[in-house]
Amino acid sequence: MEATEFGEYVALVNRYMDEGYTDGLPVIPPSRDHIAAMVAASGRPADAVLGVIPPRNVPLTIETVAINAIMAGCLPEYMPVVVAALEAILQPGFNLVSPACSTKGVAPLFIVNGPIRKQIGLNALGNVFGPGFRANASIGRAVRLVMINAGGARSQALDKSTFGHPGKYTYVIAEDEEGSPWEPFHVERGFSPEESTVAAVACEAPRLVGNYNPEAGPEGILLTIADTLSTLTSFGATGPKDATVVLLGPEHRDTIAQAGWSKRDVQQFLFEHCGRRAGELKRTVGGVPAWGTVDAPDDAWVQMFADPDRILVVAAGGGAGRFSVVCDGFAAPQFCQWQMRKIEVPPSA
Amino acid sequence: MEAERRGVPAVAILTQEFRLTGETVAKMRGAPGYRFAIIPHPIGTLDDAELAQRAQDALPQVVSLLVQGERPVGVA
C-alpha cells in the first residue's frame, strides 16, 4: 500500500469513527468483495432476514451482519457463530430491547460448545474473557456493532445503561469440554456432542471467586461461590432471575470432581445455598413482594433461584489458579429468557 | 408521537436524562425536531405529593406545546 493509499485508508477508518458506526475503537472498512465472501461463509443469501432487531425494529439481513462482522475483525469462518448468536438474541423470549437498552447495563454473554470451537480457535482457557483471541474478541464485537448500527442501541441515546461494562465490547467464551470432568454444557441441555451451539445469557460483568484452600473441598469452594452470588444487589426488584452463569476453573473443578460430585450436585448445592435472610432483604430492598419477603419472619431463608436449572455451570479458565467466575444474570424471566441455538455450518465452509 | 399521527393532540413528557433518547426515537420515527416537555430527573423515587408538584411544574410546557400546535407528525 502506497503512502497516499494508506492515508486514505486511515481517513476512511476515521470517518466510520466520526459517524458513530463503531464501539469507540477503529474498524476495518468493508469492501464489496469482502462482503460477498462474508455472506457466502454464512451459507445464506445476502437478503435473508434473521429477524427484526430492536430498538429500531428493522429487519436484520445477512448482508448487514456481514458488513458489521468485517468491521469487527471477523474471519469468514466465524460467520456461522455470529449468525447463530444473533438469532439467539432475536428470539422473542430474549426480549432484546430490555438487555440492550436498560439502565441496568448487561450484555449478552455467548457460550460456544461443540467442534466449531477448535475449528475457529475460540478460547476456553487462560484469559477466557480476553485479551488475545481473535475469534472471542471479534465475534462478540460483531454482535455489538450490529446492535449499535442496525439495532440503534447507541450509548447514552437508546442504550441507557448507567455504567455499561467491559463485556459490551465483546463477551464470548468457549467451554473447556476437553478439560471438564462432566458432560459438555450443550449435551447436558439436550444437544449431541457433534453439534455446535451458542448459548446467549444476558449478564452483568464477570465477578472473580477465589478459594485458595484445596482442603476446603467442594463445599468450601461452592459456599464461596454461593456467597458471591447471594449479595444483596443480586436480589433485584423483579423476582428470582431467569439464569446465572457459573464458570468453574480447572483447579476448582478438580477438587469438586475428585470428591465424586456431579455437575447436578454442584447445581443442587448452589441452589440450596444461594439466598439471604428475609430481614436483611427487608432492610435493604424494601421487601419487594415478588421476592416473597413481605410477610416472612426476619430469620426466614429466601432462596435466590427458582430451581437448580437456572444455574448454568460451565467449565472454563486457565490451568493455574484456584479461581472460578460468576456472571450474574439480568432479571426475572418476564424480562429476558436465556437462549440456546444450534450453529449451522454450511457444507462448503 | 403515535397518538398525534392518529390525530389526537398529545405531549410527550421526558425527564432531562431521557431527552437524547426521546430525540433519537423522534428521528427514528421520521419526526426530527419533535419537541418534548422536559422535567427534572428522577421521578421514580418521588412520593405522590412531589410527583403532583412535578406535574404542576410541567404544565406550562405542556399547555404551550398543545396550544402552539406542533404540526401533526408525518403530515405535510
Side-chain angles (χ1 to χ4, degrees):
Chain A
M1 196 182 272
E2 298 294 323
T4 48
E5 287 177 341
F6 184 72
E8 285 168 14
Y9 179 85
V10 171
L12 184 58
V13 171
N14 282 333
R15 216 177 125 197
Y16 276 87
M17 308 273 290
D18 294 343
E19 295 285 338
Y21 295 143
T22 89
D23 51 8
L25 290 166
V27 292
I28 297 177
S31 69
R32 286 193 191 285
D33 290 349
H34 204 163
I35 295 167
M38 204 60 115
V39 167
S42 77
R44 301 193 203 183
D47 59 358
V49 173
L50 295 186
V52 172
I53 185 163
R56 277 177 69 213
N57 296 323
V58 293
L60 176 63
T61 64
I62 286 287
E63 184 174 52
T64 300
V65 175
I67 290 167
N68 284 279
I70 293 165
M71 288 165 64
C74 287
L75 295 173
E77 56 262 41
Y78 303 170
M79 264 300 268
V81 184
V82 175
V83 168
L86 283 162
E87 283 181 328
I89 64 173
L90 290 175
Q91 296 302 301
F94 196 80
N95 189 28
L96 179 60
V97 69
S98 194
C101 302
S102 168
T103 51
K104 179 148 193 187
V106 290
L109 166 64
F110 297 105
I111 305 160
V112 179
N113 277 94
I116 201 161
R117 296 165 307 133
K118 298 285 176 191
Q119 290 158 9
I120 65 172
L122 264 174
N123 182 33
L125 306 175
N127 266 311
V128 69
F129 286 109
F133 301 91
R134 183 170 184 171
N136 303 59
S138 64
I139 290 170
R141 190 183 186 210
V143 172
R144 176 58 54 182
L145 292 181
V146 167
M147 289 171 68
I148 293 170
N149 293 326
R154 286 228 163 81
S155 284
Q156 299 183 355
L158 296 185
D159 177 353
K160 289 294 289 178
S161 173
T162 312
F163 283 93
H165 73 64
K168 293 181 87 158
Y169 286 97
T170 185
Y171 214 13
V172 177
I173 64 170
E175 182 171 42
D176 179 14
E177 296 177 22
E178 294 73 13
S180 171
W182 304 301
E183 65 179 358
F185 176 67
H186 68 316
V187 175
E188 171 205 333
R189 302 283 167 166
F191 292 87
S192 81
E194 295 75 32
E195 289 176 309
S196 294
T197 61
V198 59
V201 196
C203 286
E204 296 178 16
R207 270 187 260 168
L208 197 66
V209 186
N211 181 302
Y212 311 98
N213 177 13
E215 288 169 17
E219 298 200 354
I221 292 167
L222 295 174
L223 281 172
T224 313
I225 293 173
D227 180 66
T228 309
L229 283 173
S230 303
T231 53
L232 291 165
T233 181
S234 296
F235 288 81
T238 63
K241 284 180 180 176
D242 177 62
T244 280
V245 175
V246 175
L247 303 177
L248 291 176
E251 292 200 31
H252 281 173
R253 287 201 303 271
D254 286 348
T255 300
I256 294 167
Q258 279 164 16
W261 287 46
S262 68
K263 202 192 312 190
R264 192 67 194 170
D265 293 334
V266 171
Q267 288 173 301
Q268 185 64 32
F269 186 93
L270 290 174
F271 169 65
E272 288 170 9
H273 291 84
C274 286
R276 295 295 283 241
R277 298 290 163 193
E280 291 176 297
L281 296 177
K282 285 194 228 176
R283 277 196 296 280
T284 56
V285 296
V288 178
W291 214 266
T293 56
V294 166
D295 299 319
D298 281 0
D299 63 349
W301 180 250
V302 181
Q303 275 185 316
M304 273 220 63
F305 296 103
D307 63 73
D309 278 331
R310 307 277 175 185
I311 306 164
L312 314 183
V313 177
V314 174
R322 298 193 63 80
F323 298 103
S324 290
V325 157
V326 299
C327 298
D328 206 1
F330 173 38
Q334 64 266 34
F335 293 91
C336 186
Q337 293 161 18
W338 75 280
Q339 304 289 326
M340 201 154 182
R341 299 280 295 185
K342 186 180 167 190
I343 298 169
E344 304 284 355
V345 182
S348 57
Chain B
M1 273 179 256
E2 292 305 315
E4 289 201 273
R5 275 215 170 89
R6 286 159 177 74
V8 181
V11 176
I13 305 173
L14 304 176
T15 71
Q16 62 208 9
E17 281 296 323
F18 285 84
R19 179 196 285 267
L20 178 58
T21 309
E23 289 169 353
T24 307
V25 170
K27 215 179 292 175
M28 250 164 49
R29 298 195 171 223
Y34 188 87
R35 292 195 298 164
F36 299 93
I38 304 292
I39 62 174
H41 191 86
I43 53 171
T45 50
L46 303 184
D47 62 27
D48 288 352
E50 290 167 330
L51 197 57
Q53 186 58 49
R54 201 61 66 85
Q56 279 297 327
D57 294 346
L59 202 54
Q61 290 183 71
V62 171
V63 170
S64 164
L65 287 171
L66 283 175
V67 173
Q68 288 180 14
E70 289 284 325
R71 190 177 312 176
V73 178
V75 177

